[in-house]
Amino acid sequence: MITIVEANTKKLLTDFVKFPFELYKNHPYWVPPLISDELQTFDKTKNPVFESAEAYFYLAYSDNKIVGRIAAIINWNEVKDQQKMKVRFGWWDVIDDIEVTKALLEKVYELGRKNNLEHVEGPMGFSNLDKVGVMTAGFDEIGSMMSWYNYPYYATHLEKLGYVKEKEFHENKFPFSNVKPTLFEKANELIKKRYELKELNFTNTNDIMPYVDKMFDLFNASYANLSSFVAITDAQKDFFKKKYISFINPEYVKFVLDKNNTLVAFSIVMPNFSQALQKAKGKLFPFGFYHLLKAKKESKDVLFYLIGIDPDYQSRGVTAIIFNEYYNTFKERGILNCTNTPFLEDNYAMINLWKHFEPVVFRKRRTYIKKLHY
């Protein structure tokens, strides 16, 4: 018999966070999150996303053992402002028993019906800066801190329960040796001169902070035309600053300014922390912090996390400036491999951005959708 319990205490939420550690114990490709970071994400007194969203966390038990988890989420900005009448589900992990999946999803349906919503979509988080999608390809590649890893049967469960593909995301990788500076060196100088632009590099994290709010504003403007995009609020900006700033090497942040020192483009790249997080096993202490700090300083693999360009500059070749700066930084640091965070398969602007580096799609993931029946 399957029993569903709401994780509404600190102990139960901790069990919610720790369940995947048991499910993927000793798995060579699963990358564990930091337990403290996950708990902060789910803390309604600390995460400002709850000002415009609501979420409920559920655990599935069988024979007094946890066999699954799920979060039922409503992003009210999405529902009210965009008229997208959907309930989301995320942080879904389950043993290979479709009855467990069915029981967990029923709690998501209950939330949707209670609020007169029309469909359910997932897996996805609260916002566009959260993890997204069920993996459908790339199971023999190590995961990343920016995306979920899952067993192949996850997608099978959803499809058997009547879900269909809503959005598909790809993740690319390419060796740094594929990057030929001749592709952007000349364009870099021409673009800067034509539009009176200049690059801005950093060596100290504190120097980045005055630009962070402007960066998030530009992020919102850059992706506003995507149908799946929900803007980041001012309160969320502060939360993400605290959440990710310690993971970012200042020299991996690149800004482009116009003649008035207005930010027109930015990019953030992060070191690959996957193996360090595996060694940390979800904990910063006693040794997790050491492994993460070592990766931050020494990792030869990097992850392109965010890029944003002012809509007025999106077809003006500004990326040549960004790539030129990264080329110089990566060459100096001996970077070997580059990967991308998930992007929509039909995001042709992103595809064209990377095509010159001969990237390989090494992982695919998708969100699934299903109508709610009353």
Side-chain angles (χ1 to χ4, degrees):
M1 181 179 175
I2 301 164
T3 304
I4 306 298
V5 175
E6 183 180 352
N8 53 8
T9 67
K10 186 174 182 180
K11 180 189 181 306
L12 287 171
L13 270 176
T14 301
D15 290 343
F16 182 94
V17 171
K18 288 185 174 180
F19 170 64
F21 286 77
E22 180 63 29
L23 186 65
Y24 292 95
K25 189 175 182 179
N26 298 322
H27 195 290
Y29 302 127
W30 181 69
V31 175
L34 293 173
I35 294 170
S36 59
D37 185 62
E38 290 282 271
L39 287 171
Q40 186 180 52
T41 297
F42 302 145
D43 190 330
K44 297 177 183 180
T45 68
K46 294 180 179 178
N47 189 343
V49 75
F50 290 104
E51 294 175 5
S52 56
E54 63 178 290
Y56 304 88
F57 308 96
Y58 297 99
L59 289 166
Y61 291 82
S62 178
D63 296 327
N64 294 317
K65 182 180 179 180
I66 298 174
V67 291
R69 69 169 189 171
I70 203 166
I73 304 163
I74 299 177
N75 184 313
W76 285 110
N77 285 343
E78 180 178 52
V79 173
K80 294 176 180 177
D81 299 342
Q82 300 183 14
Q83 297 299 302
K84 291 185 178 178
M85 308 301 287
K86 86 179 178 193
V87 58
R88 301 170 169 224
F89 71 90
W91 288 276
W92 169 52
D93 286 290
V94 66
I95 65 170
D96 191 6
D97 184 339
I98 197 169
E99 294 302 319
V100 179
T101 293
K102 189 185 297 185
L104 286 166
L105 285 168
E106 189 56 44
K107 304 304 293 187
V108 182
Y109 305 154
E110 287 177 10
L111 180 62
R113 293 186 187 114
K114 177 183 174 183
N115 291 279
N116 299 311
L117 301 179
E118 296 173 356
H119 62 274
V120 56
E121 184 182 353
M124 58 203 318
F126 303 108
S127 76
N128 295 80
L129 288 183
D130 288 316
K131 299 175 183 180
V132 66
V134 161
M135 277 179 51
T136 57
F139 299 102
D140 58 350
E141 297 271 0
I142 192 169
S144 82
M145 67 180 293
M146 295 301 176
S147 56
W148 286 309
Y149 186 92
N150 59 264
Y151 289 116
Y153 61 78
Y154 280 42
T156 304
H157 282 200
L158 293 176
E159 289 166 4
K160 285 183 177 179
L161 291 173
Y163 283 78
V164 295
K165 183 183 88 168
E166 173 63 6
K167 302 180 188 75
E168 178 145 326
F169 300 82
H170 290 174
E171 294 172 58
N172 286 342
K173 66 177 180 179
F174 56 90
F176 181 60
S177 58
N178 280 11
V179 181
K180 309 303 180 189
T182 51
L183 290 171
F184 44 77
E185 277 181 333
K186 186 179 293 186
N188 165 58
E189 294 301 327
L190 288 173
I191 298 299
K192 285 195 290 188
K193 185 175 181 180
R194 180 179 299 169
Y195 301 114
E196 299 181 82
L197 302 175
K198 59 185 177 183
E199 72 279 0
L200 182 61
N201 292 300
F202 300 93
T203 56
N204 189 301
T205 301
N206 290 332
D207 294 336
I208 302 172
M209 299 309 290
Y211 293 91
V212 173
D213 285 347
K214 296 174 184 176
M215 183 188 73
F216 277 114
D217 288 340
L218 184 54
F219 173 75
N220 283 340
S222 300
Y223 294 92
N225 64 335
L226 291 180
S227 61
S228 60
F229 185 75
V230 180
I232 305 302
T233 66
D234 289 341
Q236 287 173 275
K237 293 175 190 176
D238 291 330
F239 180 76
F240 285 120
K241 267 190 250 182
K242 295 172 185 175
K243 185 174 182 178
Y244 291 121
I245 197 68
S246 62
F247 288 104
I248 298 173
N249 291 19
E251 61 267 37
Y252 288 175
V253 177
K254 306 296 182 184
F255 288 171
V256 178
L257 309 178
D258 68 10
K259 63 181 179 182
N260 299 315
N261 288 324
T262 300
L263 184 66
V264 300
F266 76 90
S267 181
I268 297 175
V269 167
M270 302 181 79
N272 189 323
F273 288 105
S274 296
Q275 293 181 336
L277 285 166
Q278 287 181 329
K279 293 175 182 176
K281 298 180 179 178
K283 299 178 181 179
L284 281 175
F285 300 101
F287 303 114
F289 186 79
Y290 165 77
H291 293 304
L292 291 170
L293 185 61
K294 191 170 187 288
K296 183 177 178 179
K297 291 180 178 179
E298 300 178 8
S299 177
K300 300 304 179 185
D301 297 343
V302 293
L303 177 70
F304 279 81
Y305 175 44
L306 284 179
I307 188 166
I309 301 172
D310 187 303
D312 291 338
Y313 286 87
Q314 285 181 2
S315 58
R316 298 185 178 184
V318 176
T319 52
I321 304 172
I322 293 173
F323 285 154
N324 188 69
E325 296 307 311
Y326 275 129
Y327 180 81
N328 294 331
T329 300
F330 291 171
K331 185 178 180 181
E332 183 178 329
R333 294 196 60 140
I335 296 303
L336 298 176
N337 298 294
C338 304
T339 59
N340 303 117
T341 50
F343 61 90
L344 288 165
E345 65 173 337
D346 58 356
N347 187 341
Y348 298 111
M350 192 67 71
I351 293 170
N352 288 330
L353 184 64
W354 302 109
K355 66 181 181 181
H356 298 296
F357 307 140
E358 300 177 35
V360 174
V361 176
F362 73 100
R363 185 155 42 227
K364 296 180 181 180
R365 58 182 67 245
R366 60 179 54 165
T367 60
Y368 284 86
I369 192 169
K370 183 178 180 179
K371 288 185 178 180
L372 285 173
H373 299 289
Y374 287 81

